[in-house]
């Protein structure tokens, strides 16, 4: 990515949502030249499949499908299926985000039904501080679900979950969620401009 013709370099910013956010956190932790990372409703954990990179490995937190609930109309609610975070911010399934060179911005929806993004962001903050890093910025939106997408995208209340092969609810109340999407985008641009410099004119 640092070689790409549209990238100013030598440092890049990363933005990811859900599992993509956790992949960004791994990249920031294990790779060089990532100087700013935004995690939208990431977990900060390796949730489903252990990850290996060079000499690093992080085991998966795992889940128990017996904790799946039926919400309504046959839609599933998986918010409580992940295993407990034993040991808090020193849990071995946590991504070693203290290794990241640059700052991390956590954006979370308080009504996230994929996982408890807000709790996870707090644990990530504790981990960074336990390792002598600055307290990260966490922006938390009420009534907001899992998929905080760019402004004016319709809210996705439920969809097929590839892991379960069944439809699950993602949380969010349309009005609050839509407002969060508009605000989150501005916050993301401010964060990247601050840490990566002004956006080039295209
Ligand atoms: C990473 O950043 C350093 C400067 O901090 C630069 O010298 C190097 O070329 C960059 N690496 C890549 C792959 O862009
Ligand atoms: C994060 O997830 C929560 C719960 O699923 C959700 O309420 C919230 O809208 C999500 N936030 C974003 C920015 O996707």
């Amino acid at each position: 990515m640092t070689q790409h013709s549209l990238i100013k370099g030598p440092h890049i910013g990363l933005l990811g949502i859900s599992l993509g956010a956790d992949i960004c956190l791994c990249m920031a932790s294990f790779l060089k030249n990532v100087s700013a990372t935004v995690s939208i409703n990431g977990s900060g954990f390796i949730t489903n499949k252990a990850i290996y990179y060079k000499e690093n490995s992080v085991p998966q937190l795992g889940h128990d499908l017996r904790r799946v609930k039926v919400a309504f109309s046959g839609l599933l609610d998986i918010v409580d299926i992940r295993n407990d975070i034993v040991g808090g911010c020193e849990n071995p399934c946590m991504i070693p985000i203290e290794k990241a060179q640059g700052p991390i911005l956590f954006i979370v929806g308080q009504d996230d039904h994929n996982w408890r993004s807000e709790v996870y962001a707090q644990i990530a903050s504790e981990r960074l501080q336990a390792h002598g890093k600055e307290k990260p910025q966490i922006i938390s939106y009420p009534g907001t679900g899992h998929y905080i997408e760019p402004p004016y995208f319709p809210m996705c209340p439920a969809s097929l979950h590839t892991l379960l092969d069944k439809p699950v609810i993602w949380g969010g109340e349309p009005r609050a969620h839509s407002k969060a999407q508009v605000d989150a985008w501005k916050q993301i641009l401010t964060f990247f401009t601050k840490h990566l410099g002004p956006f080039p004119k295209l």
Side-chain angles (χ1 to χ4, degrees):
M1 287 175 97
T2 59
Q3 313 289 305
H4 194 284
S5 62
L6 286 179
I7 291 187
K8 208 165 58 170
H11 292 191
I12 60 167
L14 300 176
L15 166 65
I17 182 165
S18 194
L19 176 62
D22 290 332
I23 293 171
C24 289
L25 291 176
C26 287
M27 290 171 72
S29 305
F30 298 134
L31 307 179
K32 292 193 179 70
N33 295 40
V34 176
S35 57
T37 309
V38 178
S39 161
I40 300 178
N41 273 345
S43 68
F45 284 83
I46 298 302
T47 49
N48 297 326
K49 220 176 236 167
I51 184 166
Y52 300 93
Y53 177 70
K54 293 191 174 166
E55 72 279 12
N56 305 287
S57 70
V58 185
Q60 78 272 27
L61 184 61
H63 55 266
D64 187 340
L65 294 179
R66 286 174 299 184
R67 290 192 291 267
V68 172
K69 290 173 285 194
V70 179
F72 52 88
S73 305
L75 294 171
L76 303 182
D77 185 349
I78 60 170
V79 71
D80 286 323
I81 67 169
R82 267 86 196 181
N83 290 338
D84 285 349
I85 301 158
V86 179
C89 70
E90 296 301 336
N91 184 291
C93 306
M94 199 157 184
I95 299 166
I97 49 175
E98 69 279 3
K99 292 186 184 169
Q101 292 171 354
I104 303 170
L105 168 63
F106 293 92
I107 294 180
V108 298
Q110 293 173 13
D111 188 37
D112 191 333
H113 276 263
N114 183 51
W115 46 41
R116 300 197 182 274
S117 299
E118 204 182 18
V119 175
Y120 286 180
Q122 283 303 334
I123 295 172
S125 172
E126 283 164 24
R127 183 175 179 109
L128 288 171
Q129 291 175 81
H131 288 265
K133 298 278 176 155
E134 257 181 59
K135 188 173 176 171
Q137 188 184 2
I138 300 176
I139 304 174
S140 179
Y141 295 103
T144 300
H146 187 60
Y147 283 114
I148 299 173
E149 298 192 281
Y152 315 114
F153 272 58
M155 186 185 96
C156 175
S159 67
L160 192 73
H161 193 292
T162 46
L163 189 75
L164 295 165
D165 202 25
K166 298 231 169 65
V168 305
I169 59 166
W170 301 116
E173 180 277 307
R175 188 179 168 84
H177 188 101
S178 302
K179 282 170 76 177
Q181 290 190 163
V182 173
D183 187 72
W185 192 250
K186 287 186 203 146
Q187 303 274 5
I188 291 164
L189 295 183
T190 302
F191 176 81
F192 278 142
T193 306
K194 182 172 169 199
H195 298 289
L196 298 171
F199 277 82
K201 292 219 163 47
L202 294 178

